[in-house]
Amino acid sequence: MTPKIIAFDADDTLWHNEPYFDEAQERFCALFQDYASSQEILGLILNHQVKNLPLYGFGIKAFTLSMIETALQLTNHQISGKGIEQIIAIGKDLLQKPVELLPNVESVLQQLKGKYKLVVATKGDLKDQHRKLHDSGIGHYFHHIEVLSDKTELDYEKMLGRLECHAEDFLMIGNSLKSDVLPVLNIGGHAIHIPYHTTWEYEKIDFEIQHKNFKALTNIETLLTIL
Amino acid sequence: MTPKIIAFDADDTLWHNEPYFDEAQERFCALFQDYASSQEILGLILNHQVKNLPLYGFGIKAFTLSMIETALQLTNHQISGKGIEQIIAIGKDLLQKPVELLPNVESVLQQLKGKYKLVVATKGDLKDQHRKLHDSGIGHYFHHIEVLSDKTELDYEKMLGRLECHAEDFLMIGNSLKSDVLPVLNIGGHAIHIPYHTTWEYEKIDFEIQHKNFKALTNIETLLTIL
């Protein structure tokens, strides 16, 4: 495999993210534990997130607005102003979490830099992802960051158009089979899956992938042995 | 002036935008007319927007969350759930407004296409700006769209890095002296101001610009005579 551009997903590929969302959702569930079980509440949040995707896209602001809608539904619109304020605070706390790199990320980037054009390709809030890349201290290993409004085949095709890169010269690395692997393989690119220990419900798929352009690794360090 | 890349601001440069925001703010003021004058309410919204910029950035989701915070403040947290729902609806309506091109935009793009690399460079919500470019019907005139988390000198420098373009080969066209003109001139680029009839309070500056790389036009059509 000799890609020209290697793109890394950010959340749960370069740094920890999902545990912060889990913690935020736990705080939300605790606020409304008199209204429903945690499992029911998490299901409602996800419903609102998915319903709002076409308008809001991904990211913490969308998550915050979906939590507010969930709270309106759970309380039959009886939520207090203080309750709304607490939800907004959960969202703002998420936007200020420290960025903790996953093991071996920096040493791998060090060895890849200069040999390939490295970019970050992530969904989420524009401002938030730029902030995290800055705070991570690894921004200088990358040519730039691409914040995508989604990671469909079309989104990847548009990104490759911007980068003036053919799909066969492109390698995507990430923790989501649904977002980082499948669409990239479908447009003729290469993809490597490095799973994170927990996955957002929305990103789960229930089948296995076998493809000549696909590899699954357990640790980012192994990347160096196959490139 | 022989730029290699010409970037167009989107909102109120390519299509109408500010009147939709004004209408949304009027709806908000009407909801809370018993609490304060429209002028006071608009001032409070702006305060919350500016305070939230470092975390939220620009765009309609940030605007919606800032309206909710304004409502909490105005009502001393006594706002009802139905009130919150109405604010969320104001935001969602904004995300679904039709895209109406400004006069002569399409004919100018038609004549520039092929001679320059044309891009859209805009702030706002990622998903929303992509949606508007799609709905505008003029997406095919552009190489791509750059949604920036802000339009500071650093943001422009990063964008030119991504585009592999020197500042002296770059021309930015937009309706905001603060965001589309000043930072571009400061990093050595060229800028053209085409004012829109109304400007968001945050984008106003109170001095005149005189610079060898700067021109002010009253209509986008004049662009063809100076390039």
Side-chain angles (χ1 to χ4, degrees):
Chain A
M1 196 188 311
T2 51
K4 287 180 185 158
I5 295 183
I6 303 179
F8 290 82
D9 170 57
D11 295 337
D12 302 321
T13 298
L14 298 175
W15 49 68
H16 296 281
N17 180 65
E18 196 58 25
Y20 292 142
F21 266 92
D22 289 344
E23 182 201 333
Q25 297 200 120
E26 276 167 33
R27 279 173 68 188
F28 183 86
C29 289
L31 287 178
F32 299 98
Q33 58 185 353
D34 294 341
Y35 294 89
S37 70
S38 289
Q39 201 187 345
E40 286 167 316
I41 294 175
L42 295 180
L44 289 177
I45 297 176
L46 183 64
N47 286 349
H48 282 286
Q49 284 180 292
V50 173
K51 174 201 73 188
N52 286 328
L53 272 181
L55 282 183
Y56 288 160
F58 295 88
I60 292 169
K61 286 176 286 184
F63 175 61
T64 305
L65 289 163
S66 291
M67 281 194 292
I68 293 174
E69 287 192 304
T70 305
L72 292 172
Q73 183 186 357
L74 276 170
T75 65
N76 197 20
H77 293 82
Q78 299 308 304
I79 186 171
S80 68
K82 287 286 179 195
I84 296 290
E85 192 169 65
Q86 285 172 298
I87 297 170
I88 290 176
I90 292 174
K92 287 191 174 177
D93 286 349
L94 264 183
L95 288 165
Q96 297 172 88
K97 289 287 176 194
V99 181
E100 286 185 59
L101 293 183
L102 284 164
N104 304 315
V105 161
E106 183 150 16
S107 61
V108 166
L109 292 172
Q110 252 163 6
Q111 293 183 66
L112 296 180
K113 191 177 172 167
K115 297 178 192 150
Y116 307 92
K117 186 170 184 173
L118 305 179
V119 305
V120 178
T122 178
K123 294 184 294 196
D125 280 316
L126 203 56
K127 186 92 183 169
D128 182 43
Q129 294 294 8
H130 281 270
R131 188 270 304 180
K132 287 193 283 190
L133 185 61
H134 176 269
D135 290 357
S136 72
I138 55 172
H140 59 286
Y141 294 111
F142 296 98
H143 187 271
H144 68 277
I145 178 171
E146 293 272 347
V147 186
L148 308 172
S149 59
D150 202 347
K151 282 182 168 175
T152 65
E153 294 172 27
L154 183 61
D155 293 299
Y156 280 108
E157 279 171 347
K158 283 186 188 167
M159 183 179 82
L160 292 179
R162 283 195 295 277
L163 299 174
E164 293 170 358
C165 177
H166 296 291
E168 60 265 32
D169 299 324
F170 177 69
L171 168 62
M172 179 74 204
I173 297 167
N175 71 303
S176 170
L177 290 167
K178 181 175 175 179
S179 293
D180 301 317
V181 172
L182 278 178
V184 175
L185 296 177
N186 285 343
I187 64 166
H190 299 261
I192 289 177
H193 183 231
I194 307 176
Y196 189 70
H197 63 79
T198 174
T199 305
W200 180 25
E201 201 58 36
Y202 179 77
E203 297 287 350
K204 289 180 182 167
I205 62 169
D206 59 358
F207 54 89
E208 285 205 0
I209 297 175
Q210 296 217 324
H211 192 289
K212 68 178 170 55
N213 288 358
F214 172 67
K215 282 200 173 60
L217 305 180
T218 51
N219 185 305
I220 199 170
E221 217 176 4
T222 330
L223 195 56
L224 298 171
T225 66
I226 60 167
L227 277 171
Chain B
M1 198 187 309
T2 51
K4 287 180 186 159
I5 295 183
I6 304 180
F8 290 82
D9 170 57
D11 295 336
D12 301 321
T13 297
L14 298 176
W15 49 67
H16 296 281
N17 179 65
E18 196 59 25
Y20 292 141
F21 265 92
D22 290 345
E23 182 202 333
Q25 297 200 122
E26 277 167 32
R27 279 174 68 187
F28 183 88
C29 289
L31 286 178
F32 299 98
Q33 60 186 351
D34 294 343
Y35 293 89
S37 70
S38 290
Q39 200 186 347
E40 286 167 317
I41 293 175
L42 295 180
L44 289 178
I45 297 176
L46 183 63
N47 287 350
H48 283 286
Q49 284 180 293
V50 172
K51 173 200 73 187
N52 287 328
L53 271 181
L55 283 183
Y56 289 159
F58 296 88
I60 292 169
K61 286 177 287 185
F63 175 60
T64 305
L65 288 164
S66 291
M67 280 194 291
I68 292 174
E69 287 193 303
T70 305
L72 291 173
Q73 182 186 359
L74 276 169
T75 65
N76 197 22
H77 294 84
Q78 299 307 304
I79 184 171
S80 68
K82 288 284 178 198
I84 296 290
E85 192 169 66
Q86 285 172 297
I87 297 169
I88 290 176
I90 292 174
K92 286 191 175 178
D93 286 350
L94 264 182
L95 288 166
Q96 297 171 87
K97 289 287 178 194
V99 181
E100 287 185 59
L101 293 183
L102 284 164
N104 303 316
V105 161
E106 184 151 15
S107 61
V108 167
L109 292 173
Q110 251 162 8
Q111 292 181 68
L112 296 180
K113 191 179 171 160
K115 296 178 191 150
Y116 307 92
K117 185 171 185 172
L118 305 178
V119 304
V120 178
T122 177
K123 293 184 295 195
D125 281 315
L126 203 58
K127 185 93 184 170
D128 183 43
Q129 294 294 8
H130 280 269
R131 189 270 304 180
K132 287 194 282 190
L133 184 61
H134 177 269
D135 289 358
S136 72
I138 56 172
H140 60 286
Y141 293 112
F142 296 98
H143 186 270
H144 68 275
I145 175 170
E146 293 273 348
V147 187
L148 307 171
S149 58
D150 202 346
K151 282 181 168 176
T152 65
E153 293 171 30
L154 183 61
D155 294 298
Y156 280 107
E157 279 172 348
K158 282 186 189 169
M159 183 179 81
L160 292 178
R162 283 194 294 279
L163 299 173
E164 292 169 0
C165 177
H166 295 291
E168 60 265 32
D169 299 324
F170 176 70
L171 168 62
M172 179 74 206
I173 298 167
N175 71 301
S176 168
L177 289 168
K178 181 175 175 179
S179 293
D180 301 317
V181 172
L182 278 179
V184 174
L185 296 176
N186 285 344
I187 64 166
H190 300 260
I192 290 178
H193 184 230
I194 307 175
Y196 188 72
H197 62 80
T198 172
T199 304
W200 180 26
E201 202 58 36
Y202 179 77
E203 297 287 349
K204 289 180 181 167
I205 62 170
D206 59 359
F207 54 89
E208 286 205 0
I209 296 176
Q210 296 217 325
H211 192 289
K212 66 180 172 50
N213 288 357
F214 172 69
K215 282 200 171 61
L217 306 180
T218 51
N219 185 304
I220 199 169
E221 217 176 3
T222 330
L223 196 56
L224 298 171
T225 65
I226 61 167
L227 276 171

